[in-house]
């Protein structure tokens, strides 16, 4: 493995974990300040757990058979996806961006990542494309957009932090 590949991996990990943690802190703030419920990552784990048996889409994930360790699976997937998205950002913007981060690419990446829940997770869990089957789909869409925008802000802040941790 080259030095550049190692640097890429370390930065993707640090930035992805940091951005995801920022997103989670934002969700916690919204829950405490405004009573907005956060995503139940156990249901994400349940959805992932059922993928192995060939079930991609559920009518309602809450009614699906529970999966052993679903909460841990969901949380681990949440952070792994954050690292993946950070890696995609670095691959697209280059290691130069990770070494000297700018705000707009990170924000754009965060906003683009809202396509994942709109097109994969929400339909798979029974909420339809972009939460179309939810009782208040526009509210769900706005919450997803805010969450992923916070992830974008977190990408930028975590890249700054990764530079501090790695010494530049």
């Amino acid at each position: 493995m080259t030095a550049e590949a190692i640097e890429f991996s370390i930065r993707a990990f640090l930035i992805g974990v940091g951005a995801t943690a920022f997103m989670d802190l934002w969700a916690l703030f919204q829950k405490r300040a405004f009573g907005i419920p956060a995503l139940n990552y156990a249901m994400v784990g349940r959805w992932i757990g059922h993928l192995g048996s060939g079930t991609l889409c559920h009518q309602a994930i809450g009614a699906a058979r529970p999966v052993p360790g679903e909460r841990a699976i969901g949380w681990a997937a949440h952070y792994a996806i954050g690292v993946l998205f950070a890696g995609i950002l670095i691959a697209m913007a280059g290691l130069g961006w990770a070494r000297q981060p700018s705000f707009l690419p990170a924000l754009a990446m965060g906003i683009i990542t809202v396509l994942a829940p709109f097109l994969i997770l929400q339909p798979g869990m029974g909420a339809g494309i972009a939460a179309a089957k939810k009782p208040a789909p526009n509210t769900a869409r706005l919450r997803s957009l805010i969450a992923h925008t916070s992830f974008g802000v977190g990408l930028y802040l975590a890249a700054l932090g990764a530079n501090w941790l790695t010494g530049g």
Side-chain angles (χ1 to χ4, degrees):
M1 193 176 232
T2 67
E4 192 169 271
I6 292 169
E7 179 185 359
F8 178 96
S9 298
I10 290 169
R11 287 184 185 274
F13 179 80
L14 292 173
I15 294 168
V17 168
T20 306
F22 183 84
M23 180 180 177
D24 291 338
L25 288 172
W26 179 253
L28 182 62
F29 167 76
Q30 287 182 308
K31 182 178 180 180
R32 291 199 175 157
F34 306 112
I36 297 172
L39 181 60
N40 181 351
Y41 288 102
M43 295 299 102
V44 175
R46 183 174 296 180
W47 177 72
I48 291 168
H50 283 280
L51 290 175
S53 64
T55 306
L56 177 63
C57 294
H58 296 264
Q59 290 294 93
I61 194 65
R65 177 184 42 80
V67 172
E70 61 188 27
R71 182 172 314 279
I73 293 167
W75 277 99
H78 174 54
Y79 275 82
I81 292 165
V83 171
L84 174 67
F85 285 151
I88 292 169
L89 172 59
I90 296 169
M92 290 174 48
L95 266 173
W97 175 85
R99 292 174 186 141
Q100 293 182 317
S102 55
F103 183 68
L104 286 181
L107 181 64
M109 183 65 182
I111 292 170
I112 290 167
T113 65
V114 80
L115 292 174
F118 281 2
L119 301 176
I120 300 169
L121 188 61
Q122 290 168 353
M125 294 176 73
I129 294 174
K133 294 181 180 178
K134 297 285 270 179
N138 287 334
T139 300
R141 291 173 189 139
L142 181 60
R143 287 181 181 169
S144 291
L145 181 60
I146 290 169
H148 285 260
T149 299
S150 75
F151 178 72
V153 172
L155 286 167
Y156 174 68
L157 295 174
L160 292 174
N163 279 332
W164 179 78
L165 283 173
T166 60

